[in-house]
Amino acid sequence: MIDGTHIRCLRACYDQVRLLDLTVPPERIYLRKLLLDRNLELPAIVVSLPPNSQETFEPATNMEDDIGYPVLVSFLAASNQDLEVDDRLTTDREVVLSKFRFQGIMGVTDMVYFCRPEPFPVIDMSLFQQANLDVGGFILRFISRQTRG
């Protein structure tokens, strides 16, 4: 079976994040269908499908469209509702963003010509209050130019 564009983007993003010099070790970087998995060892980074996002469709030429495939990159740490600022909440986020921001990505260069970051909460207040977790992230939208029909 041949993988579709979206799953290839998800896997390529995961592979690239694992290669970066981050405060979270590679064995705590996970590829999941959804962000939350109670079996994660924290702190962790999760590359997943964003539950409330959709593909985008923009006309590009008279025969092609730019399709945007969203991938959620989330940063998780136990907080116990600690209000002290922890540098790891923002440092890894900046490193990952700089790797992907408006660039192509290894593993899908044959189908994706750039990646556009999109806003997502830096800290999810409901998870902070209810699950004692610091969770934040961003969406990376991988843009693929595809022929119609």
Side-chain angles (χ1 to χ4, degrees):
M1 187 170 116
I2 298 173
D3 287 335
T5 305
H6 203 165
I7 193 69
R8 285 189 59 199
C9 291
L10 193 68
R11 288 186 179 135
C13 181
Y14 167 75
D15 290 342
Q16 291 299 304
V17 170
R18 286 180 54 91
L19 294 174
L20 297 173
D21 184 21
L22 302 170
T23 64
V24 173
E27 62 272 11
R28 290 190 190 169
I29 299 173
Y30 302 93
L31 178 62
R32 295 289 190 263
K33 182 183 353 180
L34 295 171
L35 161 65
L36 292 180
D37 176 347
R38 297 201 182 275
N39 297 319
L40 300 178
E41 188 173 347
L42 300 178
I45 297 173
V46 177
V47 177
S48 66
L49 297 169
N52 297 320
S53 187
Q54 303 165 350
E55 293 94 349
T56 56
F57 308 96
E58 298 293 329
T61 70
N62 61 349
M63 297 296 292
E64 299 172 312
D65 296 311
D66 283 349
I67 312 299
Y69 296 97
V71 171
L72 177 61
V73 179
S74 303
F75 304 85
L76 296 84
S79 76
N80 298 319
Q81 296 187 359
D82 183 3
L83 296 177
E84 293 293 319
V85 176
D86 186 344
D87 191 42
R88 70 180 173 202
L89 291 175
T90 57
T91 301
D92 286 349
R93 180 184 175 96
E94 290 174 17
V95 171
V96 175
L97 265 174
S98 70
K99 172 67 179 173
F100 292 96
R101 191 175 53 243
F102 300 107
Q103 300 180 56
I105 178 174
M106 296 288 286
V108 289
T109 54
D110 60 324
M111 62 178 58
V112 171
Y113 69 94
F114 82 98
C115 173
R116 180 180 67 228
E118 297 180 359
F120 203 79
V122 175
I123 291 188
D124 183 316
M125 282 304 294
S126 64
L127 289 172
F128 178 76
Q129 293 170 332
Q130 297 168 9
N132 290 321
L133 291 174
D134 290 332
V135 178
F138 47 80
I139 292 174
L140 296 172
R141 188 165 302 275
F142 295 91
I143 308 298
S144 173
R145 185 154 291 170
Q146 299 179 8
T147 303
R148 292 183 193 138

